[in-house]
């Protein structure tokens, strides 16, 4: 039996970051990870997909270079080389986490852990036949891609390698001729973007009447148009019913039809990993499969915390980092509260989507009296210089009562980087006149936010 001050179950963004913070707070910490440090984000999610998308962006730049006075001939992509480079990027970053944890003197156990009740006042986790005990437990066991039973044949086709989740598609060596993507959310759109660029015929089947999930509707519509122009086919309001070796049977307006495919991506959301990890042995409460946590990331069980996808609140790596920190701070006696109102969300398509705070729809639903301003990205000189024929927009949502920015939504290159500034403005509850005092670098694409503020009239 090994004694620690803190056991962390899961070494993804929530777990490994929390481990570093815990070690800095003086806790003797162990991280138990069954697959690979870095979790889904680093090994089969955020990072690998960004590596793919960067290669596609370079190819697209080369193909459309003439608009910018540059001639490139014979631009092509070697998908196998892209996968190999992705593996190198992942290995480098996983190595970085290993080194950081070692540097912080965190013990890493490379095995599946299961909570097995208590040993006196301590919680007990068993991994690889060894028992680890500690008075504190942080559960960061993440999530998995939904392979729905309601889509006939999905599981069977996954076993046959025809259906894929985010895990398998990022290791696909061959470029599918016809790729059908079930779910036009974040993963669906990022993978549609990559495979469209490298030559697959892509069809997106989406149950809702728009893509991009909770993305502001104006942004989602322009994004869809952009991808339609590039040749992606969208079947909106269509429900996938069955996956077969020939493709996907879907229902649209009461009619069933087949979308032909040699590969099918299942991207209809993720579910928290709460089964089989022994939660019941200590009585941790779950709701719709996710661990219930409060604003300090505490579960219903004393000194047991949960951070990251496993609590189902906001399945994003950057949320997970912060939740892990909030948990550790509270364990260390420092009051810290998790706020979800200014968490940026990004879709790394080309152009990128970046959003933070309320959308027009959520603001109105919550009863805010809002002023909405939408301006084309052409208000930014740098955008015009860099985006021949671009149709990006910047949309701001302002709470008229307090004259504060409560939402910012962008469709442009660099949206992922700019959105952090808007997030800070919302987080700091800045008034519009205060934001106007900020000096933005010129020329920058971010300046569009400043320009948009001057267009607000109420
Ligand atoms: P998602 O929740 O973003 O989108 C799933 C989509 O599938 C929804 O639009 C839904 O309406 C649709 N759908 C559900 N059932 C369907 C059916 N039977 N037929 C057709 N459409 C159906 O889920 P996704 O894309 O799988 O992503 C999972 C998680 O990973 C999300 O929480 C996301 O935020 C996160 N993620 C974040 C990234 C980022 O921050 N850039 C990148 C990739 C993933």
């Amino acid at each position: 039996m090994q004694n620690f001050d803190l056991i962390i179950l899961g070494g993804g963004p929530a777990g490994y970051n929390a481990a570093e913070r815990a070690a800095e707070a003086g806790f003797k910490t162990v991280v138990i990870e069954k697959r690979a440090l870095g979790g889904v984000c680093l090994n089969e999610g955020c990072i690998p997909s960004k590596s793919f998308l960067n290669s596609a962006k370079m190819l697209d730049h080369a193909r459309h270079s003439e608009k910018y006075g540059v001639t490139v001939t014979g631009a092509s992509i070697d998908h196998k080389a892209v996968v190999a480079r992705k593996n190198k990027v992942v290995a480098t970053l996983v190595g970085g986490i290993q080194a950081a944890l070692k540097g912080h003197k965190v013990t890493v156990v490379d095995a599946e852990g299961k909570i097995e009740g208590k040993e006196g006042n301590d919680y007990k986790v068993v991994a690889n036949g060894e028992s680890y005990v500690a008075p504190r437990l942080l559960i960061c066991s993440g999530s998995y891609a939904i392979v729905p039973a309601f889509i006939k044949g999905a599981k069977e086709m996954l076993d046959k390698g025809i259906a894929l989740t985010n895990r398998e598609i990022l290791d696909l060596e061959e470029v599918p001729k016809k790729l059908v993507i079930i779910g036009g959310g974040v993963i669906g759109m990022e993978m549609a973007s990559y495979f469209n660029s490298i030559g697959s015929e892509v069809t997106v089947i989406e149950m809702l009447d728009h893509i991009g999930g909770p993305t502001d509707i104006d942004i989602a519509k322009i994004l869809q148009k952009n991808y339609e122009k590039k040749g992606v086919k969208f079947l909106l309001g269509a429900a996938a019913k069955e996956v077969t070796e020939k493709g996907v049977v879907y229902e649209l307006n009461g009619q069933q039809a087949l979308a032909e495919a040699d590969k099918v991506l299942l991207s209809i959301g993720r579910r928290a990993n709460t089964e089989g990890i022994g939660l019941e042995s200590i009585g941790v409460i779950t709701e719709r499969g996710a661990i219930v946590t409060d604003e300090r990331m505490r579960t219903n069980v004393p000194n047991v915390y949960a951070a990251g996808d496993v609590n189902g609140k906001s399945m994003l790596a950057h949320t997970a980092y912060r939740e892990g920190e909030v948990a550790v701070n509270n364990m260390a006696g420092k009051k810290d509260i998790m706020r979800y109102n200014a968490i940026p969300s990004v879709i790394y398509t080309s152009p990128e989507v970046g959003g933070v705070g309320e959308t027009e729809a959520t603001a109105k639903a919550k009863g805010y009296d809002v002023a909405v301003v939408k301006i084309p990205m052409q208000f930014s000189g740098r955008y015009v210089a860099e985006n021949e024929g671009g149709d990006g927009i910047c949309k701001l949502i302002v709470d008229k009562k307090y004259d504060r920015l409560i939402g910012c939504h962008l469709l442009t290159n660099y949206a992922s980087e700019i959105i952090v500034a808007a997030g800070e403005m919302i987080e700091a509850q800045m008034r519009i006149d205060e934001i106007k005092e900020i000096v933005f670098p010129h020329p920058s694409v971010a300046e569009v936010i400043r320009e948009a503020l001057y267009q607000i009239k109420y």
Side-chain angles (χ1 to χ4, degrees):
M1 189 157 66
Q2 298 189 32
N3 290 277
F4 287 88
D5 296 323
L6 168 64
I7 300 170
I8 300 180
L9 195 57
Y16 76 73
N17 184 50
E20 290 177 30
R21 302 291 85 80
E24 285 158 7
F27 292 128
K28 186 183 171 204
T29 304
V30 57
V31 174
I32 302 175
E33 167 56 53
K34 68 174 177 180
R35 290 178 77 92
L37 286 174
V40 169
C41 166
L42 187 33
N43 295 281
E44 52 198 47
C46 325
I47 300 295
S49 56
K50 261 73 283 168
S51 173
F52 272 32
L53 287 163
N54 185 56
S55 296
K57 203 191 287 178
M58 291 171 90
L59 178 68
D60 290 339
H61 280 326
R63 280 183 181 152
H64 304 295
S65 60
E66 270 156 33
K67 289 196 281 191
Y68 301 92
V70 178
T71 307
V72 177
T73 44
S76 65
I77 194 159
D78 175 353
H79 178 65
K80 281 199 174 90
V82 174
V83 175
R85 177 170 180 275
K86 176 271 288 184
N87 291 339
K88 196 179 77 179
V89 168
V90 170
T92 304
L93 293 171
V94 171
I97 295 172
Q98 278 163 346
L101 291 181
K102 197 170 169 202
H104 280 79
K105 300 194 167 44
V106 171
T107 302
V108 177
V109 176
D110 193 5
E112 182 163 0
K114 187 168 182 193
I115 306 163
E116 291 197 1
K118 293 186 82 170
E119 193 75 41
N121 285 327
D122 286 350
Y123 296 101
K124 182 165 103 175
V125 178
V126 176
N128 227 353
E130 177 68 88
S131 295
Y132 300 86
V133 295
R136 300 169 198 84
L137 179 60
L138 175 58
I139 304 166
C140 306
S141 51
S143 65
Y144 61 92
I146 298 173
V147 180
F150 62 81
I151 300 180
K152 218 171 126 194
K155 170 81 180 66
E156 196 189 328
M157 290 301 130
L158 185 68
D159 294 341
K160 284 196 169 168
I162 289 174
L164 316 159
T165 69
N166 59 294
R167 176 175 293 166
E168 296 80 26
I169 199 162
L170 292 164
D171 280 327
L172 204 61
E173 291 270 322
E174 303 299 326
V175 181
K177 273 200 177 62
K178 292 183 180 187
L179 174 67
V180 169
I181 296 178
I182 307 180
V186 192
I187 295 179
M189 283 312 299
E190 291 186 1
M191 288 299 102
S193 180
Y194 176 74
F195 284 97
N196 166 255
S197 287
I198 72 165
S200 299
E201 202 179 292
V202 178
T203 303
V204 176
I205 297 179
E206 168 56 55
M207 214 159 60
L208 303 176
D209 62 0
H210 60 88
I211 58 164
T215 302
D216 191 276
I217 195 71
D218 288 321
I219 305 272
K221 279 185 182 158
I222 306 173
L223 181 71
Q224 184 185 331
K225 257 195 226 150
N226 268 270
Y227 275 88
E228 274 168 349
K229 269 192 225 152
K230 294 179 192 191
V232 174
K233 185 173 173 195
F234 292 93
L235 298 167
L236 300 184
K241 292 286 175 194
E242 184 177 0
V243 184
T244 71
E245 288 183 9
K246 292 190 180 136
V248 179
V249 178
Y250 64 94
E251 194 174 294
L252 180 62
N253 302 327
Q255 304 282 320
Q256 292 212 344
L258 174 77
E260 283 180 23
D262 43 332
K263 295 287 175 197
V264 175
L265 173 65
L266 302 170
S267 50
I268 63 160
R270 301 183 65 83
R271 197 162 284 148
N273 271 325
T274 49
E275 274 169 34
I277 58 169
L279 293 180
E280 61 294 340
S281 73
I282 51 171
V284 172
I285 292 177
T286 61
E287 218 174 72
R288 277 176 276 121
I291 296 180
V292 178
T293 50
D294 66 6
E295 58 189 9
R296 300 191 200 185
M297 312 324 300
R298 296 177 296 197
T299 68
N300 62 306
V301 180
N303 297 317
V304 178
Y305 294 71
D309 286 10
V310 74
N311 65 35
K313 287 202 159 74
S314 150
M315 290 190 168
L316 295 166
H318 42 286
T319 303
Y321 286 132
R322 176 75 188 122
E323 287 181 341
E325 277 169 14
V326 169
V328 170
N329 282 338
N330 281 288
M331 288 177 203
K334 189 172 141 195
K335 191 176 168 199
D336 192 4
I337 280 172
M338 185 68 206
R339 295 177 301 278
Y340 293 93
N341 62 311
I343 295 176
S345 60
V346 175
I347 310 179
Y348 293 82
T349 40
S350 190
E352 295 175 351
V353 173
V356 65
E358 306 295 340
T359 61
E360 186 174 355
T362 62
K364 285 181 178 162
K366 287 178 187 172
Y368 283 104
D369 183 12
V370 293
V372 176
V373 61
K374 267 184 271 184
I375 62 167
M377 285 305 302
Q378 273 73 7
F379 272 76
S380 152
R382 185 178 180 194
Y383 180 86
V384 176
E386 294 185 358
N387 295 276
E388 194 58 43
D391 60 356
I393 63 164
C394 166
K395 180 170 177 180
L396 302 183
I397 320 291
V398 174
D399 174 8
K400 281 167 45 178
K401 187 170 173 196
Y402 297 107
D403 197 31
R404 280 184 191 144
L405 183 70
I406 56 167
C408 173
H409 305 276
L410 300 165
L411 181 73
T412 175
N413 53 337
Y414 313 125
S416 55
E417 303 290 344
I418 299 167
I419 205 66
V420 66
E424 282 170 27
M425 294 166 196
I426 294 172
E427 178 75 29
Q429 301 187 325
M430 291 180 83
R431 288 194 320 274
I432 301 305
D433 56 349
E434 290 171 325
I435 301 174
K436 282 179 177 167
E437 290 174 15
I438 296 173
V439 179
F440 287 73
H442 177 75
S444 64
V445 175
E447 279 176 300
V448 75
I449 295 177
R450 200 183 132 78
E451 293 298 326
L453 291 175
Y454 280 98
Q455 305 302 317
I456 300 172
K457 312 249 182 310
Y458 61 89

